[in-house]
Amino acid sequence: MNSTVWIVDSYEEALAKNIVIVSLGLIINFINGMLVLTFFSNPMFSRDSRYILYIHLVINDMLMICTSVTLYVLTYVSPLVNASLCCVLVVLGSVTFTITPLNLACMAVERFIAICKPLHHAQICTPQRTYIFICLLWVIGAIPSLADIIILLLIQSTSFFSSLVLCYPFSLFPSKAYKDRTTASQVIYMSFVWIILIYTYCRVLFTARKAVSKGSANKARSTILLHGVQLLLCMLSYIAPVLDLIVTPFFPVHRTKITFFNYLITNILPRLLSPLIYGVRDQKFLKQMKEYFACKVIIVKIVPSKLLFSVG
């Protein structure tokens, strides 16, 4: 996550940037909240591993947006933050950021099993096993960050955690070893996910060519392709520092504006597009969402009118 901001903006410019970021964060989490409510409104979804993995992706993105927007606003409102609070925010942001591509890989594998091994899908992709896999994702995502915290506990005195620090990763963990470890883990995770996506896509493509009824196989192939698009959106965050280095020297006066639009495009907007790409495309999920919220609107309109009638 790119949370570093050079705070040399005017008051009006800083206020406008924070209003835009917070507003987009609220809009994204409102949309994602609708998706979460839709999932829990129908028990059918909680019995399907595909929807369980999808809603976990949505909830994970909601946590990441909350953390990312909080860190962004803090760079303006209170650049120096309590070190313990900063550790919590940085670790949560790092873990949720890591889990997103891993969750996409699990979703691709689930579709691969559904198409290429349909007779075993019900036995392999049970809700219980899906929840176990989600727990495993959190463990895998948390291991690098927990290792950094343990190292920090060993090299820093206890007074450090009550001190004030600039709250972004490379300030909290300034060692070169942290940068190397972060780069290595990101390369490993992303390579692993891309290998899974390419393998599952090729297998589903091969199955689709042989299938008599190609509808579901072609749909699964398209779904895995969308997972690849989602992964590309996630990878925009990795190129944020590169964009800063390339563009800023040409427009040094507009450094803060470049950083702002860079953060907006690579961190915020992908979180808006990613869940919608999958959720709105699923007709069963979209139909349930329309029915659920249409019912809520009708209830909201009818109940006040009944109350008014009874009072009259």
Side-chain angles (χ1 to χ4, degrees):
M1 285 192 319
N2 183 22
S3 303
T4 309
V5 178
W6 292 273
I7 308 177
V8 293
D9 297 330
S10 65
Y11 173 79
E12 293 78 10
E13 186 175 348
L15 181 62
K17 288 179 179 178
N18 280 274
I19 289 174
V20 169
I21 294 298
V22 172
S23 299
L24 285 174
L26 291 173
I27 290 170
I28 292 169
N29 276 353
F30 175 75
I31 295 171
N32 286 346
M34 291 174 62
L35 298 173
V36 172
L37 288 175
T38 302
F39 173 84
F40 288 107
S41 69
N42 193 330
M44 171 192 66
F45 296 126
S46 62
R47 295 192 292 267
D48 192 323
S49 58
R50 175 163 60 110
Y51 293 109
I52 295 171
L53 288 170
Y54 166 65
I55 211 63
H56 174 253
L57 176 69
V58 172
I59 294 173
N60 182 76
D61 278 353
M62 291 176 72
L63 289 173
M64 185 163 61
I65 281 292
C66 288
T67 306
S68 180
V69 171
T70 300
L71 286 170
Y72 185 90
V73 172
L74 282 176
T75 57
Y76 283 93
V77 176
S78 178
L80 296 177
V81 181
N82 178 269
S84 298
L85 175 61
C86 182
C87 285
V88 173
L89 292 173
V90 168
V91 167
L92 182 59
S94 176
V95 172
T96 51
F97 180 78
T98 303
I99 286 175
T100 298
L102 296 176
N103 198 103
L104 290 171
C106 288
M107 293 168 73
V109 170
E110 188 277 330
R111 287 293 84 198
F112 160 73
I113 295 172
I115 299 303
C116 298
K117 301 181 182 297
L119 298 178
H120 302 285
H121 181 263
Q123 290 75 31
I124 297 174
C125 300
T126 63
Q128 292 77 13
R129 289 184 177 180
T130 304
Y131 288 122
I132 291 172
F133 263 99
I134 289 173
C135 293
L136 184 61
L137 289 183
W138 279 90
V139 171
I140 294 172
I143 285 174
S145 295
L146 290 178
D148 292 329
I149 294 297
I150 292 171
I151 293 172
L152 194 64
L153 287 169
L154 293 175
I155 64 175
Q156 295 285 1
S157 62
T158 53
S159 60
F160 170 79
F161 294 93
S162 59
S163 63
L164 299 177
V165 296
L166 289 171
C167 195
Y168 61 95
F170 292 133
S171 173
L172 195 62
F173 308 105
S175 67
K176 184 178 182 297
Y178 169 79
K179 297 178 182 179
D180 294 340
R181 199 278 307 153
T182 300
T183 302
S185 63
Q186 288 175 349
V187 169
I188 291 170
Y189 284 150
M190 281 298 174
S191 300
F192 175 72
V193 172
W194 274 114
I195 289 171
I196 289 177
L197 285 179
I198 293 171
Y199 173 78
T200 53
Y201 178 79
C202 291
R203 287 294 304 272
V204 169
L205 178 64
F206 183 71
T207 302
R209 287 179 175 176
K210 294 195 305 180
V212 177
S213 176
K214 299 185 178 182
S216 59
N218 287 332
K219 186 176 180 181
R221 185 184 64 183
S222 300
T223 300
I224 294 175
L225 264 182
L226 286 177
H227 293 160
V229 173
Q230 287 176 280
L231 189 59
L232 286 173
L233 290 173
C234 294
M235 291 183 71
L236 285 176
S237 300
Y238 291 112
I239 67 171
V242 178
L243 288 177
D244 277 339
L245 290 174
I246 293 174
V247 179
T248 301
F250 293 100
F251 308 97
V253 179
H254 302 291
R255 178 188 295 269
T256 58
K257 292 183 178 66
I258 293 169
T259 304
F260 168 72
F261 284 108
N262 193 358
Y263 171 75
L264 190 67
I265 294 169
T266 61
N267 284 270
I268 297 296
L269 293 184
R271 260 73 254 174
L272 173 62
L273 297 175
S274 182
L276 293 178
I277 284 175
Y278 192 84
V280 175
R281 179 176 172 269
D282 189 285
Q283 294 302 314
K284 189 185 297 184
F285 200 88
L286 183 61
K287 180 182 177 182
Q288 175 65 22
M289 183 164 62
K290 288 179 178 178
E291 291 177 355
Y292 177 76
F293 286 100
C295 180
K296 289 295 181 183
V297 170
I298 292 171
I299 291 173
V300 169
K301 288 182 177 180
I302 290 177
V303 171
S305 62
K306 285 186 175 180
L307 290 174
L308 182 62
F309 180 75
S310 62
V311 171

